[in-house]
Amino acid sequence: MAWVRAAIFAALSFWATALTAQDVTLTSPDGQVELSGTLLGFDGEFYRIETVYGELTVDGSGVLCDGPACPNLQDFVAEVSISGSATMGSVLMPALIEGFALRNDYSAARLSIGPSNFVYELKDNSTDKTVALFYFHVSTTDEGFADLLVNDADIVMALREIRPDERQRARDAGMGDMTDANRSRVLALDAMVPIVSPSNPVDQISPQALARVFGGRITNWQELGGADAPITLHLPGAQTGLGQTVEDEIMGPARLAFADEIVRHPRPREVVDAVLADPFGLGIASYADTGNTRSLTLTGTCGFSLSAARGTIKTEDYPLTAPMFLYVPARRLPKVAREFLAFTRGASAQIVIRRAGFIDQAPEEISINDQGYRFANAVTAAGPEVSLEELQRMTRTLYGMARLTTSFRFEAGSVRLDAQSRSNVQQLARALEQGKYDARQILLVGFSDGDGPATANRDIALRRAEAVMRAVTTAAETVNFDRIQMGVDAFGEALPMACDDSAWGRQANRRVEVWVR
């Protein structure tokens, strides 16, 4: 009967269910209270209806439902709508749905209902009853937020942070502040990687030069050390999350607009195919999607260089890291949806994320012995303001410790943690609550860029480390801190990760690291 079920699903519009845009009346058992309105959703326990009083959530155990849209309370099937990024929706989220089903003894069947739409049907293996339908609309980050704002999405997949106008519209619609910890989370990490054909001799580029190329200021490979040939440019579409992140994180700091000659591609994977077919092409792709192209190393005038790799992306030392977000509005989701979101934070989900080719969020410890290059760079880059005594103090303090891959950075010109770091606060707080660092020492270590006096920079770095500690201890509500030795220190500009001659480099250098013993 699978073909019958598929035909039924195909006959439905993507988001339309029997519940949508139909009137119901909820009445108290004694008949004294009556509410009528449009049923927006039912999670198995609570009704969500649009009434003349606004949107209301009503406990189903205390009312009787009358109307054609009233759900079957005996065989309730949870319905969850997920919309947004094709990069996340094509591979990563389906892999997580299947991992969640396996963990909970469900079977998961994927049914296609169009080129961009599909549904996962989850069945309880013990009863063979359908317990949930996860509807997917795989398009762009822009469309995901648009679906959210018209109540056509319960979860948004995004390759960029929500923009101020979208955030305000969501707040006005009663969806809460979408930047709060309960409304947004980083699911996995990716990165923007400049790619070329394997036959291209150029192997590195600075972030500044990359922006100048896509801004039309550098047009010939000869200016980058390559052949005397024009550079052809390839990018994802302007409506995609990756395309918008390139604009925000590469072109924005350079204050440059995109050149008119850029070839835009609807799907990020098409950028990779175009560059492979073009020996003089330059594109920007997702780290998880580089395929057989060759990635360029990011470099600077001071001699630092950073390649996109699992380790440098996870620590956010690579300056073009791109978090992958999930956004959830402030409304009650079905229990199975809440369980799925909880699953995405757990250890099993991190394994699924890695196997899908993305960078997971599970903290890892990096021995100080594996970071010799960083300390060598510190000695090499030390200027007259960074004394030998300060370098020795840093080495003595961190000797015998390991760096966690969890890092914290702040929004440009702000004391507010950036989106990735706000997610990292919750991640570290949960680890503390689970007792993972009981009887251990945790040191939050602040670093700065080299712009300004070294003493002032060290003070700023220390205040940032203290701000991170306050945020973590506030989020870790159930932790007994008597079992953990947690402190802060700062070494200012003593351990740079990149050159200070660009906004990208200074941002990479301003950070708070987590060290454990």
Side-chain angles (χ1 to χ4, degrees), residues 247-513:
E247 180 178 6
D248 293 344
E249 303 299 331
I250 296 179
M251 307 304 292
R255 299 181 180 177
L256 291 173
F258 284 120
D260 295 332
E261 298 78 17
I262 297 173
V263 180
R264 294 284 192 165
H265 301 272
R267 302 277 182 173
R269 179 67 201 182
E270 294 173 10
V271 175
V272 175
D273 295 338
V275 170
L276 279 173
D278 183 355
F280 299 116
L282 173 65
I284 296 178
S286 156
Y287 172 76
D289 236 4
T290 53
N292 292 323
T293 61
R294 189 160 51 78
S295 303
L296 299 185
T297 298
L298 294 182
T299 188
T301 56
C302 65
F304 283 85
S305 62
L306 284 170
S307 298
R310 183 174 178 274
T312 59
I313 295 171
K314 197 164 188 178
T315 57
E316 297 179 80
D317 293 339
Y318 182 75
L320 300 181
T321 297
M324 310 178 84
F325 296 94
L326 291 183
Y327 284 92
V328 183
R331 60 173 178 253
R332 189 179 176 88
L333 296 181
K335 182 180 178 183
V336 69
R338 302 196 301 269
E339 291 173 343
F340 169 69
L341 290 172
F343 167 79
T344 63
R345 293 184 184 274
S348 298
Q350 306 314 308
I351 295 172
V352 173
I353 291 167
R354 287 198 297 271
R355 288 178 176 172
F358 298 92
I359 311 300
D360 64 278
Q361 293 281 281
E364 297 176 28
E365 297 184 14
I366 308 171
S367 164
I368 196 169
N369 294 330
D370 295 330
Q371 302 178 66
Y373 71 96
R374 300 178 72 210
F375 288 84
N377 284 344
V379 174
T380 302
E385 291 192 313
V386 179
S387 66
L388 174 62
E389 289 76 13
E390 184 68 355
L391 291 174
Q392 290 174 332
R393 186 178 77 86
M394 179 178 68
T395 304
R396 283 194 305 270
T397 300
L398 302 180
Y399 185 77
M401 303 188 79
R403 180 192 179 189
L404 284 190
T405 50
T406 303
S407 299
F408 299 91
R409 287 185 169 83
F410 293 79
E411 293 178 350
S414 170
V415 295
R416 186 174 191 233
L417 289 165
D418 65 20
Q420 169 64 32
S421 298
R422 294 195 297 272
S423 183
N424 287 347
V425 166
Q426 300 301 317
Q427 176 197 94
L428 183 55
R430 286 194 306 275
L432 293 173
E433 289 176 332
Q434 293 164 4
K436 292 184 178 179
Y437 299 104
D438 282 1
R440 299 189 68 181
Q441 179 187 2
I442 297 178
L443 188 65
L444 300 171
V445 184
F447 295 97
S448 72
D449 59 36
D451 189 14
T455 302
N457 285 337
R458 182 185 176 279
D459 292 341
I460 292 170
L462 183 61
R463 288 199 296 272
R464 286 176 173 158
E466 291 168 342
V468 170
M469 187 165 76
R470 285 194 298 272
V472 171
T473 54
T474 300
E477 297 177 354
T478 64
V479 173
N480 179 359
F481 282 96
D482 292 338
R483 298 198 301 263
I484 304 166
Q485 183 182 346
M486 180 178 284
V488 298
D489 207 333
F491 301 102
E493 58 195 73
L495 192 62
M497 294 301 306
C499 303
D500 272 329
D501 60 354
S502 70
W504 298 278
R506 291 189 292 273
Q507 177 67 10
N509 290 334
R510 295 190 294 264
R511 66 199 186 278
V512 175
E513 297 180 356

